[in-house]
Amino acid sequence: MSKGQSYYEFIPVNGTERTLTKVETPRSVLKKAYIFDLKFSTVSDLHCGNGKAKTIYKDKNVPALLLINYRNGEGIPCVPGSSLKGAVSTNYLTLTGSINLTSELFGATTKELSVMSKIFFSDLVPINMPKMIQIPIQRGWEGKGRPKHVKIYVSKAPSTSQYGFAECIPKETLLATRIQGIELKDYEVGGLLTSMGLKFEKDKFTTSPMKIGYGKPQGLGQIQLSLKESKLSIINFKLLKNIETLDLENAKIGSYIKAFYDKFKDRKPAISSIYEKLFRRF
């Protein structure tokens, strides 16, 4: 990694385009469902665009570009579920290194085989209507990629010239989402939670911020999972009255995360070292 590239690293994976040779878990049989009711706090200002922009006048009547944040059907600025799924699935691939197992969980469409996702994401919506802010944004950074690698940001990028402004959900905003899964394996449950920044080590649960949206090299888009305000409900359809609800510091959650690490114990580099880089706060 050259001196000018110290703000990002490439993590090796065995592929980046979703593909499957066979379906491990049939989608036609429904035995268990998993409902993740999660809350995140914005560690930094957050922008997820809707593809629109407008001209504003900030200084001495000089026109500037303002990127507009996505809003749901009720007009509330939020993170679309598709963006949340994209960020979590990329983290999952980065941690596991396996495009096949990522495709098994998040779905894939190829000429040979198509399979729907086992996990479904709703929008990530503020608990209370935020007072939106306009943050200066800088011109783009190097967009270089590398085959069979995922690019992750490990520190802020060098400053460039100002590009315009982004309409942002401010830091210290609490957001909520519901993620629903079907027929998940224990290691997939643990992998999903790990891919959202949950860590279980030495019998202790901690969280670190994941990154999402626009301006990640500038430090925007860091959100952190709330341990105290999140839960997982497991529904057994054979026993309809059997609904098990776990907080994220339950011992069973720890066993799911351990199953994930055990599944990929031969991953090189190790998941633990990738985690420290992927969820680094800056």
Side-chain angles (χ1 to χ4, degrees):
M1 188 167 56
S2 69
K3 183 178 180 181
Q5 300 170 347
S6 59
Y7 61 94
Y8 65 82
E9 290 188 23
F10 288 105
I11 306 299
V13 298
N14 65 8
T16 54
E17 292 187 16
R18 300 270 184 88
T19 182
L20 272 177
T21 54
K22 66 176 182 177
V23 179
E24 298 290 340
T25 306
R27 274 43 168 183
S28 57
V29 178
L30 189 58
K31 297 178 181 178
K32 277 188 177 181
Y34 299 77
I35 301 175
F36 301 79
D37 287 306
L38 307 177
K39 290 187 173 65
F40 291 83
S41 179
T42 53
V43 175
S44 62
D45 303 320
L46 167 65
H47 175 83
C48 280
N50 64 358
K52 297 180 180 179
K54 67 178 183 180
T55 302
I56 60 172
Y57 295 86
K58 275 284 190 180
D59 182 39
K60 298 180 180 178
N61 293 324
V62 176
L65 191 68
L66 175 67
L67 305 181
I68 307 300
N69 200 86
Y70 171 84
R71 285 167 169 74
N72 63 14
E74 298 176 351
I76 300 172
C78 60
V79 176
S82 57
S83 295
L84 182 58
K85 180 181 180 181
V88 175
S89 63
T90 300
N91 288 350
Y92 191 89
L93 172 61
T94 305
L95 290 166
T96 66
S98 173
I99 191 62
N100 287 328
L101 292 179
T102 300
S103 301
E104 168 70 23
L105 180 55
F106 293 93
T109 301
T110 67
K111 291 181 180 179
E112 295 77 19
L113 182 66
S114 294
V115 61
M116 76 174 190
S117 177
K118 291 167 63 177
I119 195 84
F120 306 92
F121 292 74
S122 66
D123 291 347
L124 184 59
V125 183
I127 301 295
N128 298 305
M129 179 67 83
K131 184 177 180 181
M132 301 297 283
I133 58 176
Q134 297 175 357
I135 297 297
I137 52 175
Q138 298 176 6
R139 294 192 179 276
W141 299 266
E142 286 186 86
K144 292 181 179 179
R146 187 180 296 176
K148 292 189 176 182
H149 286 75
V150 176
K151 181 179 180 180
I152 66 171
Y153 295 101
V154 295
S155 65
K156 284 188 178 180
S159 295
T160 63
S161 59
Q162 185 171 330
Y163 171 70
F165 295 85
E167 182 187 41
C168 292
I169 298 171
K171 62 182 179 180
E172 300 182 359
T173 299
L174 189 64
L175 307 100
T177 187
R178 169 169 282 188
I179 302 170
Q180 301 179 71
I182 56 170
E183 300 305 305
L184 301 179
K185 298 175 181 178
D186 287 358
Y187 78 83
E188 291 175 327
V189 176
L192 280 167
L193 291 169
T194 302
S195 298
M196 291 183 279
L198 183 60
K199 185 178 183 179
F200 181 64
E201 188 176 52
K202 297 180 180 178
D203 295 326
K204 182 180 179 181
F205 291 91
T206 57
T207 62
S208 296
M210 62 177 286
K211 302 171 184 70
I212 191 169
Y214 180 86
K216 291 185 283 292
Q218 192 175 328
L220 301 180
Q222 299 185 56
I223 61 173
Q224 189 159 357
L225 184 63
S226 172
L227 281 175
K228 302 297 183 183
E229 299 183 82
S230 300
K231 63 182 181 180
L232 167 62
S233 298
I234 305 170
I235 303 171
N236 189 327
F237 287 104
K238 288 185 177 180
L239 304 167
L240 288 180
K241 294 183 179 180
N242 184 4
I243 300 177
E244 183 181 15
T245 300
L246 310 171
D247 64 58
L248 293 193
E249 294 181 284
N250 186 285
K252 193 168 185 177
I253 299 293
S255 71
Y256 290 143
I257 295 175
K258 184 178 184 302
F260 175 64
Y261 276 75
D262 287 346
K263 174 73 173 178
F264 299 98
K265 62 179 184 239
D266 296 326
R267 166 83 163 121
K268 302 293 183 184
I271 285 179
S272 56
S273 66
I274 297 171
Y275 177 97
E276 296 304 323
K277 296 176 181 180
L278 184 60
F279 296 101
R280 185 178 296 168
R281 180 174 179 171
F282 57 81

